[in-house]
Amino acid sequence: MSKANFLDSRGITLNIFDMMGNGVLLKEGYQYTLAEAKEFVTRLTNLGLDTSKQKGIKIPICQESSYTLITQEGRSMGELYPGEYFWAQLLSAYGIANTYTTEKSHTGSIIAVSGQYFRNLSKEELTHLFINNFVILEGDAAYTLWDMGYGHLAGIDAVEWHKVNSGVQAYEETCNNEIYSGIKNSRMSSQCSSGNYLRITYTESANIEKLTEVKGPDGSKVGPGMVLYKEMNDHKKRDQSLGINKCEESLLKSYSERYDALVHDGEVVLSGIEPGTFGYDELRKMLARLRDYKYAYMLFIRDYNAPFTNNLAERDLRPCKTRQKISGCFRTWRGISDFVKIMSVISTWKKQKMDLFVKIKE
């Protein structure tokens, strides 16, 4: 009853009637349960808590989910129950603030999706959700996204389910060189009540950072566990592989708005730091660069001919800088000119993937 109150329920229905039409079945004792809870629920209601103002990680739910979900086996009624509450249970157990939401459009939020919630969204709503928010997925949500044909939004290429206690997965182990609770390479069981494991194969161009790995009984790697996916550059690579040489205007606008939102968040953090504090100047200068040179930073997604980083330019300059440091360095201006011309030609051949020896002979 208290949970129904937080969901902004206007009332609650209990089946307290005799099935034969004899009225309220008093011997079941529901009247005592209601009497005990009435004072607490009344005080809770009088607090005037507004669910729309709750803060924390947003957990999207949809009242139509039972109509849109697809059953895998069709053997039990349980398959018809929406599983969108998974993150609410887990995050609450860890003491992490979270709130349910029925809104479909979000910007600049952390969204935790579970079950088959995605089946309630259109292509445009899905794209907006991933581009403008930090999205957390569990296995069912990741599978649903892939099954709907939108796996590319999370860099997913293929998936495969492995049932719990199948002998494939035994435990999950951290692999990001971080120490948790004083334990290096910490791990947890992937057996018994941990649930089925969805092994995900990511696209070759997917820019992911693995946090954990799932391993078998013998310690061999089975597949990735938790990963962080950074989608903007991957979106560009995927377009290029399909022969698309320009980003969609709607996506470009979304990326631009997200960029501005991140810079704004940084400025808010900076405003709360006392000038002169260690790191203040570095953060201020970084935010100024991001704000003043936005066009240059986003050039790689605006113009697909521009690389994601300037690593190529740095590598081209490195031989010249190295030669300058060598004892004797350059003796004449003509020597400098000849060296630069030769390196320029060689670098161009390499970028065009030509055989250097063949080109030199020519």
Side-chain angles (χ1 to χ4, degrees), residues 13-302:
T13 301
L14 291 176
N15 183 13
I16 60 176
F17 293 91
D18 182 276
M19 298 298 291
M20 303 303 293
N22 297 321
V24 176
L25 195 61
L26 296 177
K27 68 178 183 180
E28 294 293 339
Y30 290 117
Q31 65 273 26
Y32 302 114
T33 302
L34 292 172
E36 291 175 359
K38 183 177 180 180
E39 183 180 357
F40 172 75
V41 175
T42 299
R43 289 188 178 185
L44 195 61
T45 303
N46 291 337
L47 291 175
L49 300 177
D50 187 348
T51 54
S52 64
K53 295 181 180 179
Q54 290 182 6
K55 297 181 179 180
I57 296 176
K58 294 181 179 179
I59 301 171
I61 58 175
C62 181
Q63 296 179 355
E64 306 299 323
S65 290
S66 292
Y67 297 96
T68 59
L69 61 78
I70 297 176
T71 59
Q72 300 300 319
E73 298 179 0
R75 295 183 178 180
S76 67
M77 284 293 294
E79 292 183 64
L80 295 174
Y81 301 155
E84 298 162 8
Y85 50 81
F86 169 80
W87 287 112
Q89 294 177 320
L90 183 64
L91 295 173
S92 297
Y94 286 127
I96 300 175
N98 61 87
T99 177
Y100 286 107
T101 176
T102 56
E103 297 292 330
K104 293 184 178 181
S105 180
H106 305 275
T107 300
S109 300
I110 300 177
I111 312 294
V113 184
S114 56
Q116 299 188 37
Y117 171 78
F118 287 139
R119 298 193 189 279
N120 301 291
L121 304 182
S122 64
K123 176 184 177 181
E124 291 72 22
E125 289 170 334
L126 277 169
T127 303
H128 178 85
L129 184 72
F130 276 87
I131 289 178
N132 295 286
N133 302 278
F134 184 91
V135 184
I136 306 174
L137 307 179
E138 47 83 69
D140 284 329
Y143 176 83
T144 300
L145 190 68
W146 173 84
D147 188 53
M148 293 173 64
Y150 300 119
H152 62 273
L153 292 174
I156 300 173
D157 183 47
V159 298
E160 182 182 6
W161 278 111
H162 293 285
K163 290 190 174 183
V164 64
N165 298 328
S166 62
V168 176
Q169 68 273 21
Y171 60 93
E172 186 173 353
E173 184 177 76
T174 58
C175 60
N176 60 343
N177 297 319
E178 294 288 341
I179 297 177
Y180 299 96
S181 299
I183 303 174
K184 187 177 182 180
N185 297 329
S186 53
R187 61 179 63 170
M188 60 183 177
S189 174
S190 294
Q191 302 182 77
C192 299
S193 59
S194 61
N196 300 332
Y197 166 57
L198 182 70
R199 178 162 59 184
I200 298 176
T201 302
Y202 292 92
T203 59
E204 293 183 2
S205 61
N207 183 15
I208 64 171
E209 176 187 349
K210 284 197 295 185
L211 304 180
T212 66
E213 287 181 334
V214 175
K215 297 187 176 182
D218 59 352
S220 60
K221 296 180 181 179
V222 175
M226 291 186 287
V227 304
L228 288 176
Y229 170 62
K230 306 161 188 177
E231 87 291 342
M232 195 180 294
N233 192 42
D234 183 49
H235 173 84
K236 172 182 174 179
K237 291 180 180 178
R238 185 176 63 254
D239 277 358
Q240 289 177 318
S241 68
L242 297 174
I244 302 173
N245 54 19
K246 185 179 180 181
C247 182
E248 295 179 26
E249 287 298 325
S250 59
L251 290 178
L252 188 59
K253 181 180 178 182
S254 295
Y255 285 138
S256 179
E257 291 174 351
R258 186 175 180 184
Y259 183 100
D260 292 337
L262 290 172
V263 173
H264 175 71
D265 290 344
E267 291 173 337
V268 171
V269 172
L270 181 66
S271 65
I273 301 177
E274 188 72 24
T277 304
F278 177 77
Y280 176 86
D281 286 338
E282 287 74 11
L283 179 58
R284 179 182 59 79
K285 292 176 182 177
M286 181 186 72
L287 288 171
R289 287 197 303 271
L290 291 172
R291 182 178 59 252
D292 297 340
Y293 298 102
K294 174 184 175 181
Y295 184 88
Y297 279 115
M298 294 195 65
L299 182 62
F300 79 96
I301 193 67
R302 183 179 292 103

